[in-house]
Amino acid sequence: MAQPGSTTITEGEGRKHPDGTTRRDFLYLSAGAFAGTGAALTGWAFIHSMNPAADVLALASTEVNLAPIAVGQAITVTWRGKPVFVRHRTAEEIAKAKEDDKADLRDPQTDARRVQKPEWLVLVGVCTHLGCVPLGQKPTDAKGDYGGWFCPCHGSHYDTSGRIRRGPAPLNLAVPSYAFTNDTSIRIG
Amino acid sequence: MAKYDYVPSPFMANSIVKWVDHRLPIFSLIDHELIKYPAPRNLNYLWNFGSLAGIMLVVMILSGIFLAMNYNPSTAGAFDSVERIMRDVNYGWLIRYIHMNGASMFFIVVYIHILRGLYYGSYKYPREILWWLGIVIFIAMMATAFMGYVLPWGQMSFWGATVITNLFSAFPIVGEHIVLWLWGGFSVDNPTLNRFFALHYLLPFVIAGVVLLHLWALHVHGSNNPLGIDAKGPQDKIPFHPYYTAKDAFGLAVFLIFYAYFVFFSPYSLGHPDNWIEANPLVTPAHIVPEWYFLPFYAVLRAVPDKLGGVLLMFGAIVILFLLPWLDTSRVRSARFRPVYRVFFWLFVICCLVLGYAGSQPAEGLPLILGQVATIWYFAHFLVFLPLLGWFERPLPLPASIAEPVLGGGKSGTVAASKPMEKA
């Protein structure tokens, strides 16, 4: 309110509400509320402009043709700017992954819950430790002690189901949401 | 600066405030310069436009930073990135409309602010440097606005940039080299766009710095006032808060309604549709015009049939403002007490509007002649009328103090000595 002593304009006693509030209090609070609401709404427009834009969201799904991927081969596709590993697993890899369901897992999950068809393993290729891309896609890559992926940044080992087995990463490689659009292609996202 | 009876605000007694203030006197600064700062008691609404200009600078910087987050300063990507801002970025249309109409609002506010200064003689002793700093801000604003208009990379952007940078080619010998240097190539192209973006981002912060100097200079002698006479004592002044904070806030609300009308209902009425065509270095639009706020200067440029002459006169139209405090030989500040100057002031306003009209039209026929007449009048106003008016004009008697006419006179001539009307 007005600085005491700064003005000779006094609030007339007649205009005072019985509880001691004045018209000026009402004006002060209502003007402040309007200005505050307006500033907050405008501020939201500015903050929201930094969220993903419509064109970014429109790129949120990726189609992958599985037909050319031979057994034992793996490809990397981009989805939302991140690598997605698609591995056509061999019978041995599938068997090993199922066998390891009983192992001591840091982030327990059965292989069956991580695949839709056992021969196709689809993973977000981002290490759950600090976001590096693990090795293991190329035949010449180190695949780690468990035959899956190995993150060179801080030494996390993933198995043939992409589950974390050793190293600092806390969680399994994430499985993105995807669907088979037919027998030989999937849509990620 | 504390040439008044300073009574600290109650918050200054807070122990945390005291602790901070002892080390960094920022609360003292706020209390002295924003709260207790004594302002003439008779400031009218024309004195709102300084604070409005400051607010517009903040609005432009904020909206500009958010635009820059989505803008791509390359000839290949600029136009598309602006389209993306308009269509895909959340509230991007709002931020861009705020920014592009904000430029017009900023100039409206600043032009009124400058005319206020002209009418009430705010440039006179002891405020000459304050006036100079204002002109520096104005020039920096024009450079910033020009470079900002280039960024969307539409046809008007490109050809505006081409025409304005070519102004410098008028200078003999060095002209061509200056233009090559400005462009960073042999035409307005990617290097030009890159540097314009960099400078468009930089200059507003330079402006903010000069604004601080402008305020510093202002607070040395305080605001001028509609009477143009100096305050005689505490009865002539009132504390900035709550009187002028409330007045500025009310004026801001009215101004924001005006601004919001353009942003929400008429965002393109101040722009040019040709800028929706992507820049094409091979085709010049049939009729190039700058943004409305440059039209008077554009008319001066075209009024002269000689290339170098036009350029010099256009720059001269701004540079002459620096000399105004000495070209105006009258000691009386306010036009209220200068019956002849008051007429010439309004003729000058009309002259500027005519220049603006002439600048918006093709340079031929009647508009060209109007532009030439108004150009002569513009310079005559400063170089002939103002110096002579000081000698030949008989000013009206000045009131004895600011408080006297405000409080309805009474004992005229003794007001300065009369009892203070309030504690200031």
Side-chain angles (χ1 to χ4, degrees), chain B residues 102-117:
Chain B
S104 287
M105 296 303 130
F106 202 174
F107 274 97
I108 289 173
V109 165
V110 162
Y111 279 136
I112 295 174
H113 188 62
I114 293 172
L115 288 173
R116 193 287 318 274

Side-chain angles (χ1 to χ4, degrees), chain B residues 400-411:
Chain B
S401 79
I402 292 172
E404 183 203 49
V406 171
L407 300 175
K411 308 142 199 104

Side-chain angles (χ1 to χ4, degrees), chain B residues 222-407:
Chain B
S223 294
N224 183 31
N225 65 82
L227 296 175
I229 56 176
D230 291 328
K232 297 279 186 337
Q235 76 276 18
D236 286 345
K237 297 220 168 183
I238 45 177
F240 193 80
H241 181 76
Y243 292 104
Y244 290 117
T245 46
K247 191 165 184 165
D248 280 350
F250 177 72
L252 174 65
V254 174
F255 168 73
L256 287 179
I257 291 170
F258 177 74
Y259 184 3
Y261 168 77
F262 283 97
V263 169
F264 290 104
F265 299 103
S266 195
Y268 292 113
S269 58
L270 300 171
H272 199 290
D274 270 12
N275 226 27
W276 281 111
I277 305 167
E278 191 168 0
N280 181 352
L282 303 181
V283 181
T284 307
H287 179 207
I288 316 181
V289 281
E291 292 284 84
W292 68 267
Y293 37 82
F294 291 139
L295 289 176
F297 299 103
Y298 194 53
V300 172
L301 170 76
R302 301 193 305 180
V304 187
D306 176 69
K307 186 176 177 182
L308 180 61
V311 171
L312 288 178
L313 218 55
M314 188 185 72
F315 289 129
I318 301 163
V319 172
I320 201 167
L321 295 171
F322 282 102
L323 303 176
L324 178 60
W326 297 276
L327 292 172
D328 183 350
T329 50
S330 173
R331 295 243 180 124
V332 177
R333 292 196 190 105
S334 173
R336 270 194 201 178
F337 306 104
R338 299 187 61 192
V340 186
Y341 172 69
R342 195 158 59 208
V343 174
F344 276 91
F345 170 83
W346 287 112
L347 289 174
F348 178 74
V349 173
I350 292 167
C351 164
C352 292
L353 294 174
V354 168
L355 281 174
Y357 166 75
S360 72
Q361 301 299 310
E364 58 196 19
L366 183 65
L368 180 62
I369 295 166
L370 279 175
Q372 288 169 335
V373 171
T375 299
I376 292 167
W377 187 275
Y378 183 97
F379 284 96
H381 178 82
F382 290 109
L383 295 173
V384 181
F385 305 147
L386 285 184
L388 291 181
L389 277 179
W391 295 102
F392 291 109
E393 183 183 45
R394 188 181 177 83
L396 303 177
L398 294 175
S401 79
I402 292 172
E404 183 203 49
V406 171
L407 300 175

Side-chain angles (χ1 to χ4, degrees), chain A residues 108-132:
Chain A
Q109 209 175 19
T110 61
D111 185 59
R113 287 194 55 207
R114 295 176 56 76
V115 291
Q116 294 183 16
K117 294 183 179 178
E119 61 270 36
W120 296 106
L121 179 63
V122 182
L123 300 168
V124 176
V126 175
C127 181
T128 57
H129 180 221
L130 292 170
C132 295

Side-chain angles (χ1 to χ4, degrees), chain A residues 3 5-8 45-46 48-56, chain B residues 9-10 63 66 69 84 88-91 94-95 241 243 422-423:
Chain A
Q3 300 296 311
S6 67
T7 169
T8 53
F46 280 77
H48 190 42
S49 77
M50 293 172 72
N51 276 325
D55 62 326
V56 177
Chain B
S9 295
S63 55
F66 280 83
M69 290 179 191
R84 181 175 170 271
D88 289 339
V89 175
N90 304 310
Y91 292 107
L94 177 63
I95 297 170
H241 181 76
Y243 292 104
E422 65 177 48
K423 262 175 79 184

